[in-house]
Amino acid sequence: MDYSTDYTTHAEAIVELFASTFTASEGTEEGALIGALARRLIAETPAGDLRVFTAWEDGTLVGGIFFTRLTYEGDPRTVFMMAPVAVATAHQGKGIGQRLIAHGLDALRQEGVDIAVTYGDPAFYGRVGFEPVSEADLPAPQPLNQPQGWIAQSLTEAPLTPLRGPARCVAAFDDPALW
């Protein structure tokens, strides 16, 4: 498997991957929502606030992951949120997602990012080091519909300690429908 961070050249393929993957697993409406989110993240998010990693097998896009900056007023730590994550339906169950996530987290560690957070299935993301956190310890930028899915991990030797909010996300994520 090859990894790439070139999201501008492959923007349409990435958007299609997210739209089709979420349509297959969550339905047409969710596929359209996440496809539009991927498009906005690529088109509107400043490069300093966005990291995109894609996985390729034999020239075919098989997985993708977005990391976007979360800013906490009054807290100097660098925080990135991992979302959304997609693996092409035909390639699921092969460990591609876990390897892609590990690759992305390693790249963030090397960059000096302090904390990664995501909003998803704790059982799945727990396999790559994410642990449940409370909104009191790590404020979310929007009210959470499923607070049990708010999970994080320290990317440094320092333990995960409470962040001082309020939190701000990138513009594409500043939509209550996504939370």
Side-chain angles (χ1 to χ4, degrees):
M1 185 164 27
D2 297 313
Y3 298 106
S4 175
T5 57
D6 176 10
Y7 59 90
T8 54
T9 303
H10 304 289
E12 283 307 311
I14 294 168
V15 169
E16 177 54 32
L17 168 73
F18 280 87
S20 63
T21 301
F22 278 83
T23 295
S25 66
E26 307 289 330
T28 305
E29 188 176 318
E30 189 74 4
L33 179 71
I34 301 304
L37 171 63
R39 184 176 308 286
R40 283 194 66 200
L41 287 169
I42 290 169
E44 301 172 12
T45 306
D49 294 339
L50 177 67
R51 306 292 180 274
V52 181
F53 300 92
T54 52
W56 300 79
E57 280 185 352
D58 302 320
T60 300
L61 177 62
V62 296
I65 186 169
F66 287 87
F67 289 91
T68 55
R69 188 179 306 274
L70 286 179
T71 305
Y72 287 84
E73 292 178 22
D75 202 301
R77 290 174 284 181
T78 304
V79 181
F80 272 79
M81 180 174 65
M82 180 181 77
V85 177
V87 173
T89 305
H91 296 273
Q92 292 177 2
K94 302 176 184 177
I96 292 169
Q98 287 185 5
R99 290 194 308 273
L100 183 57
I101 291 167
H103 176 79
L105 292 172
D106 285 343
L108 291 180
R109 263 187 212 94
Q110 291 173 17
E111 189 181 315
V113 172
D114 298 295
I115 297 167
V117 62
T118 194
Y119 187 39
D121 179 2
F124 177 79
Y125 293 111
R127 293 183 258 176
V128 289
F130 285 89
E131 299 176 354
V133 292
S134 74
E135 289 181 82
D137 288 339
L138 204 152
Q142 290 280 343
L144 301 175
N145 288 319
Q146 298 180 15
Q148 70 279 8
W150 194 233
I151 51 182
Q153 68 175 286
S154 173
L155 298 180
T156 68
E157 298 297 317
L160 189 60
T161 57
L163 287 153
R164 293 182 296 282
R168 278 194 339 266
C169 57
V170 299
F173 264 111
D174 202 18
D175 178 350
L178 298 168
W179 299 88

